[in-house]
Amino acid sequence: MITITTTEALAEFCARAAKHPYVTVDTEFLRERTYYSKLCLVQMAVPGKAEEDAVLVDPLVEGLSLEPMYELFRNEDVVKVFHAARQDLEIFFVEAGVFPKPLFDTQVAAMVCGFGDQVGYETLVRKIAKEQLDKSSRFTDWSRRPLTDAQKTYAIGDVTHLRGIYEWLAAELNKTGRADWVEQELRVLTHPDTYTIDPPEAWKRVKTRTNSGRFLGIVRELAKFREIYAQSRNIPRNRVMKDDALLELASTKPKNIQELGRSRLLLREARRGDIAEGILKAVADGLACNQDALPKVSDQNKEKLQVNPALADLLRVLLKARCEQEKVAQKLIASAADLDALAAGKRNVQALSGWRAEVFGDDAVRLCEGKLALAAKGQRVEVFEV
C-alpha cells in the first residue's frame, strides 16, 4: 500500500492518472472541533490491480502541495468518481476553490438505478462488487500519526471497490439512457452557492415556528453574528451558541450582561467576553431594525397551503407506482412537501421539470386535473386515461 508524502510523488501519480478514463477519490477528515473540515487523508485509485494503482495521500505532511491533484481535478478528460461527494467537494472548494470535473457520484447514480434512497457505500460494495467492507476504522481520529494498518486498509477500500461500482453503474446508465439524469442532479454539487453560507442569510437555517417579524429580526442578527464569529475563528457554530439558546435569546431579548446571565441554555463561555458582547449587540440591532427591513413572514415557506388530502394521497400512490416501474428512488423525484404543493395547486415544484417530469411530473399534473386514474391490479397499481 503506497502512501504519498511528497509533492513530486503526487505529481507522478496524477500524471499517470491523467492517462486513464477515470480516477476514484475519497477523503478522511475531521470537523468536530472546527467550522471548516480539516482534511486528513486523500485516497485515489485508477483502473488496474497493481499496488501503485491505488494510493493514500497524506496532506498533513509538511511541504506537500495538493496542486498536482487539483490540476487533475481540472482535467476534463478524466472522470472523477466519488461516493456521496458533497462533503468531499466542500473541502476542495474551501481549500482551493476547485471542483472536480467531470464528476460522477455513485450514490446519486445508484438512486437513479433503483438502489433506493441515499444508498450507502457498504451496500454497493456488497451488491455490486460482491465484497464485504470492514467499517471498524470509520470513526477513528484521522489526524493522528502514524496511521494504523487497519486505518490504511479501510481507507484504501473506499476507492478500490469504487472502481468496479463505477464501471457497473456507468454501464447501467448508458444502457437505460439515464446518464443525463445523473448529470442534472450533480450540477448543484459543483455550484459554489451549495457551499457558501452568507452570514446575513444564516437565520434561514434556524428552525422556528414563530411568525413575529421582530422575533425573526433578532434571530437573523444573532445567527449572523454566530456565523461570522465561527467562520473567523474556525470553530463549530454550536461552540458559539446552539440553536435552542439562540431562540431563547431572541425571546428574552437581554439588554446587558446581567440579563444575559439568566439564560438557561447559553454556554458558560458565551456569557462573557467577545461572544457576550456580540450577542448583546445582535439583540440590540434586531430590536432597532426598521419594520420594513424585518424578515417577511409571508414568504413562500410560511404560506399555508390549502392541501387536498385525498389528492395528496393519490399523488403518493402514483409516485410509488412510477418509481417502482422505473426503478428509481422516490426521494430523488419528489419530497412530501412537493406532493402537498401539487395537491394544493402549486406548479413551481422541482418534480415538474427536467427528467422528473418524464417519470412522474407530467402524469402528476394530469392526475390533479382529473385526466388520469389509478387502479389496483393484484400487487400492482396501474395508471390509465380517464
Side-chain angles (χ1 to χ4, degrees), residues 43-288:
Q43 306 97 278
M44 294 192 290
V46 295
K49 295 184 178 180
E51 183 181 13
E52 62 270 19
D53 291 331
V55 298
L56 305 177
V57 182
D58 191 347
L60 300 185
V61 173
E62 186 175 355
L64 185 145
S65 169
L66 294 178
E67 183 54 33
M69 181 181 74
Y70 294 138
E71 188 61 32
L72 177 63
F73 285 175
R74 298 184 190 102
N75 184 343
E76 298 197 11
D77 292 330
V78 183
V79 177
K80 270 65 72 172
V81 182
F82 292 77
H83 180 83
R86 192 187 189 287
Q87 288 184 300
D88 302 313
L89 299 189
E90 181 180 20
I91 293 173
F92 300 137
F93 175 68
V94 171
E95 291 272 341
V98 63
F99 288 117
K101 292 184 179 181
L103 172 70
F104 188 97
D105 189 322
T106 55
Q107 185 177 71
V108 175
M111 292 171 73
V112 169
C113 291
F115 283 86
D117 295 336
Q118 294 182 321
V119 60
Y121 181 62
E122 186 176 7
T123 299
L124 296 183
V125 170
R126 185 176 68 255
K127 290 187 175 182
I128 296 178
K130 309 301 182 185
E131 299 282 353
Q132 295 296 320
L133 201 61
D134 180 8
K135 304 292 285 186
S136 59
S137 296
R138 182 178 182 182
F139 297 110
T140 57
D141 185 349
W142 292 98
S143 67
R144 296 188 62 180
R145 295 295 185 270
L147 295 173
T148 66
D149 290 342
Q151 284 178 303
K152 293 179 180 180
T153 299
Y154 163 83
I156 207 69
D158 278 349
V159 288
T160 52
H161 298 308
L162 195 55
R163 296 178 293 198
I165 292 171
Y166 163 68
E167 292 175 2
W168 191 93
L169 289 172
E172 186 70 12
L173 291 171
N174 287 332
K175 183 171 67 176
T176 58
R178 296 180 178 181
D180 185 58
W181 294 14
V182 175
E183 290 180 12
Q184 290 182 42
E185 293 306 299
L186 294 182
R187 285 170 194 159
V188 68
L189 288 179
T190 54
H191 197 289
D193 288 351
T194 303
Y195 309 99
T196 303
I197 299 177
D198 187 17
E201 301 297 314
W203 69 277
K204 295 178 180 179
R205 300 163 60 98
V206 180
K207 295 181 180 179
T208 174
R209 297 179 179 177
T210 303
N211 292 335
S212 163
R214 183 63 58 188
F215 178 88
L216 292 176
I218 300 173
V219 169
R220 179 177 63 189
E221 296 303 319
L222 286 168
K224 175 184 173 181
F225 160 71
R226 178 175 68 173
E227 209 69 25
I228 292 173
Y229 191 94
Q231 288 179 357
S232 64
R233 289 161 177 78
N234 195 23
I235 61 174
R237 60 177 65 89
N238 283 347
R239 285 267 303 276
V240 184
M241 61 181 132
K242 296 182 179 180
D243 281 0
D244 56 358
L246 187 153
L247 294 172
E248 178 196 38
L249 294 170
S251 178
T252 58
K253 308 175 186 63
K255 296 180 177 62
N256 52 53
I257 291 293
Q258 290 72 31
E259 293 181 6
L260 186 66
R262 300 191 188 110
S263 169
R264 296 181 302 108
L265 302 174
L266 195 62
L267 297 172
R268 183 178 304 173
E269 53 267 32
R271 299 167 187 260
R272 59 182 183 273
D274 292 345
I275 297 180
E277 292 177 10
I279 288 173
L280 293 174
K281 183 179 184 305
V283 172
D285 289 346
L287 289 170

Side-chain angles (χ1 to χ4, degrees), residues 312-363:
D313 288 342
L314 286 174
L315 287 168
R316 286 171 173 77
V317 174
L318 175 65
L319 176 64
K320 186 174 187 296
R322 282 297 189 225
C323 289
E324 287 180 351
Q325 179 183 352
E326 298 292 337
K327 294 182 172 57
V328 60
Q330 293 184 46
K331 186 174 182 179
L332 203 58
I333 301 290
S335 65
D338 290 336
L339 299 179
D340 286 344
L342 285 170
K346 300 297 179 182
R347 296 295 180 264
N348 58 339
V349 299
Q350 190 179 32
L352 301 185
S353 62
W355 65 271
R356 291 177 175 83
E358 301 175 31
V359 175
F360 169 73
D362 292 343
D363 281 349

